Amino acid sequence: MLDEMRALVAVAEEGSIGGAAQRICLTQPAVTRQIQRLEQMLSVTLLDRRQKPPTLTPAGLHTVERCRAILAAVSELKASASSAVPQGVLRVGIIHPLADSGLAPIISILREHYPQVSLRIHGGWTSTLLEQLQRGMLDAAVVLADPVGGEDAGLIAQDHFNVVAARTLKLKSSIDLEELDRHDWVLSPEPCTARAALASALKANGKTLRVTAEVQDSSLQLALIGQGLGLGFFPSRYAAVANAAGLDMLEIRELACPFVIRMERRADLHSLAPVVDRLQAEMRARVLFAADEAPARGQSA
């Protein structure tokens, strides 16, 4: 029955029988037969086959959650019975700015301390990663978030966004929204969280965000800003990088844009929890946005 449960969970998380078949290395007909067997065992309809692709029925949604809990309990039982050493596959989502070569030393440390853990690293936007985490497609996710009061157990780094401008524009170090409205922008593509916050603030003050170029790679963004294509929006930790590129970093008088990078995780990590703890600690210690430790990366998520 466990195989049938795994098939149902795979269909729910992949969104289709074809995707589930690829994930669990079966043919589509084999996955279909497993779902049918589970329906017969439980005497309930799990998939609405009138939809293309089939979707989960209300009973199917409830059953998926129960299957996840049972499969997690079985995995925990196997792990506790065999070894206390973390092992298995750990799926981690990382926001685009950090999902690059800067992770290599950290992954090496994790491999050294947890050789029986296989890492699956996925880059993405904050909204996408949180959705995948909620759907059970990820075990943990490093995301961009608003600051919270008190202790934040998931905290990795905190900073705020500033404007980056070509030095040839000769703008003041502190700029207002009226001045910003005279310029175009070079920004990350949507659904970039920082870009959305900037657009919302400008709109609330009757201003318009005019984007001349959408670029995910920050080194290219900085180059375009230096050529006068528009202003950029970067964490303050990029000040040294911007200065080295011949750019100025400016504060916005009417707009505060604080943010934190934090680790979100599933509650049922069990033996893999220490691996996520170590990943968070290593990322926090290295402060991956620091300009003196890494080349510029994509600036927002």
Side-chain angles (χ1 to χ4, degrees):
M1 194 172 183
L2 292 178
D3 288 339
E4 286 78 8
M5 291 183 182
R6 292 188 185 95
L8 179 63
V9 171
V11 170
E13 294 180 354
E14 297 297 331
S16 69
I17 291 177
Q22 289 185 341
R23 173 169 159 180
I24 60 180
C25 300
L26 291 176
T27 64
Q28 293 188 39
V31 173
T32 298
R33 288 193 295 271
Q34 286 188 328
I35 300 299
Q36 290 172 339
R37 283 197 297 270
L38 188 57
E39 289 178 322
Q40 292 171 359
M41 293 176 194
L42 301 177
S43 299
V44 67
T45 300
L46 301 173
L47 293 180
D48 183 352
R49 295 172 175 82
R50 297 170 299 178
Q51 307 292 326
K52 299 297 181 183
T55 59
L56 290 169
T57 64
L61 291 170
H62 174 74
T63 304
V64 165
E65 294 307 313
R66 296 293 299 156
C67 288
R68 284 196 181 112
I70 293 171
L71 293 171
V74 171
S75 296
E76 183 180 10
L77 177 61
K78 288 181 177 179
S80 62
S82 60
S83 173
V85 177
Q87 55 185 296
V89 175
L90 179 64
R91 303 162 300 169
V92 182
I94 309 284
I95 49 174
H96 283 307
L98 304 184
D100 64 7
S101 59
L103 281 175
I106 294 177
I107 292 176
S108 294
I109 290 173
L110 294 180
R111 286 293 299 161
E112 179 183 352
H113 287 84
Y114 308 105
Q116 297 183 49
V117 174
S118 178
L119 294 172
R120 302 287 188 271
I121 305 296
H122 305 270
W125 301 108
T126 289
S127 57
T128 302
L129 296 178
L130 290 176
E131 179 183 354
Q132 291 174 340
L133 182 65
Q134 185 176 20
R135 292 178 59 189
M137 300 170 66
L138 293 175
D139 301 305
V142 177
V143 297
L144 187 73
D146 293 329
V148 296
E151 286 294 320
D152 184 355
L155 180 66
I156 292 175
Q158 53 188 341
D159 204 343
H160 63 277
F161 283 96
N162 286 333
V163 171
V164 172
R167 195 160 292 160
T168 54
L169 294 178
K170 298 181 179 180
L171 298 176
K172 296 180 179 180
S173 60
S174 180
I175 194 170
D176 58 27
L177 293 176
E178 192 67 35
E179 176 64 28
L180 289 182
D181 196 41
R182 301 189 184 102
H183 299 274
D184 297 327
W185 293 85
V186 176
L187 297 172
S188 293
E190 294 179 332
C192 167
T193 305
R195 170 176 170 169
L198 176 63
S200 178
L202 290 174
K203 183 177 179 180
N205 288 272
K207 313 301 181 184
T208 303
L209 184 67
R210 299 185 302 276
V211 179
T212 58
E214 289 186 347
V215 182
Q216 188 166 304
D217 180 75
S218 67
S219 60
L220 180 54
Q221 285 186 30
L222 293 172
L224 295 177
I225 293 167
Q227 291 181 5
L229 266 70
L231 305 178
F233 203 47
F234 281 76
S236 66
R237 294 180 187 273
Y238 277 88
V241 174
N243 183 66
L247 306 173
D248 291 327
M249 181 165 279
L250 321 169
E251 293 188 356
I252 311 174
R253 287 198 291 271
E254 300 101 325
L255 179 61
C257 289
F259 71 93
V260 298
I261 301 295
R262 68 186 321 275
M263 177 75 78
E264 298 284 356
R265 64 179 73 192
R266 295 175 60 172
D268 56 349
L269 287 174
H270 305 299
S271 65
L272 291 174
V275 188
V276 176
D277 291 340
R278 185 62 182 264
L279 172 61
Q280 178 182 329
E282 292 294 335
M283 293 185 72
R284 185 169 185 172
R286 291 171 181 268
V287 191
L288 294 186
F289 274 118
D292 59 347
E293 294 188 8
R297 303 183 176 93
Q299 90 270 19
S300 49

